[in-house]
Amino acid sequence: MSHAAIADTVADRSPGSLHGAGLPRWSPYAIALGALALAVLVGTLGDLHSRIQWGLIAAALFVLGLYGASARVEGPRRAKDRLATSLVWAAFLLAVVPLVSLIWTTLTRGVKVLDVHFLTHSMGVVADTEPGGGIHHAIVGSLQQVGLATLIGAPIGVLTAIYLVEYGRGGLARAVTFFVDVMTGIPSIVAGLFILSLMLILKMQPFGFAGSLALAILMMPVVVRSTEEMLKLVPNELREASLALGVPKWRTILKVVLPASVGGIATGIVLAVARIAGETAPVLLLVFGNPFINNNPFEGAQASLPLYIYQQYANSAGSGAAYDRAWAASLTLIAFVMVLSLGARGIARWKAPKTGR
């Protein structure tokens, strides 16, 4: 056997090589079970009543146990890889567990009163501490307020992004970018106070469209940022080919750039709608709430789902009926946002570029 073959054989058998000894496939599961059993033992002996503490202890023991076993059998390089993978999975579980717990709690408590009657009736003359009533007036208000906000914020956001990407040069573009960044981080209550100050100057009473204006302010920077990123992904070769054929720039944007990025733009708009659908502070300041159905967002106070949830919880006075209505309305709002998110993913897949084999 040649010296090169002997060297390759020795390298293959070394623990730190890519082809060295490895842990069995079942070893992570065995270590996980051992870590869980040890965490239960530690939690029982240490009188730890929280299952979350048990889970954190089990996760830490699993990461350390897998790293130690891999370092002993597979070498330090593979052990570091397993350590990084374990930490990523632990972070994923830490993020998912509260989400699953929240959805499960809302689902189990919200289905108590969630039925057709609840969705098709308003509170009317039903007191907050009494059973009965529904959220039809809040659904109507939310749909109208969010719909009007989308009609205002989405076109302005898309046009602003087109200007920044296709035409923006000089001081004006830098100023617009700066203010978009500032608007992205402002609290929702600030947008509500801005519209409220205008209402006080004009001596106007609360009405649904005022809430739409505040929600549009919160929506516009999200649309601008998402649309801007989508437009930047369009290859410059497409623009240059269109311009080389003598097509005006505005027509190139309309016929080439926007169709190529319409899927991402629509996704960004839908996600922005989902973001403003749960805002409570601007609606509380500007819309005020109404237990009756108000189909006219331009006159009189209106309800909305986030405001309804807040009012049922704040005015419940310990009533179980009000708490049940609040949880049912929360479940309805989560379902609404989930439908919008799934719709955004569907639009993105539908408008995604088709790749051939």
Side-chain angles (χ1 to χ4, degrees), residues 6 39 41 47 92 161 166 191 238 272-273 281 290 299 313 342 355:
I6 295 175
L41 179 61
D47 197 20
F92 170 75
E166 304 294 337
L238 296 178
V273 171
N290 189 347
E299 182 180 358
Y313 180 80
L342 293 176
T355 56

Side-chain angles (χ1 to χ4, degrees), residues 267 270-271 274 334-347:
T267 302
V270 173
L271 293 178
I334 290 176
F336 176 68
V337 174
M338 185 176 296
V339 169
L340 288 178
S341 300
L342 293 176
R345 294 181 64 87
I347 293 173

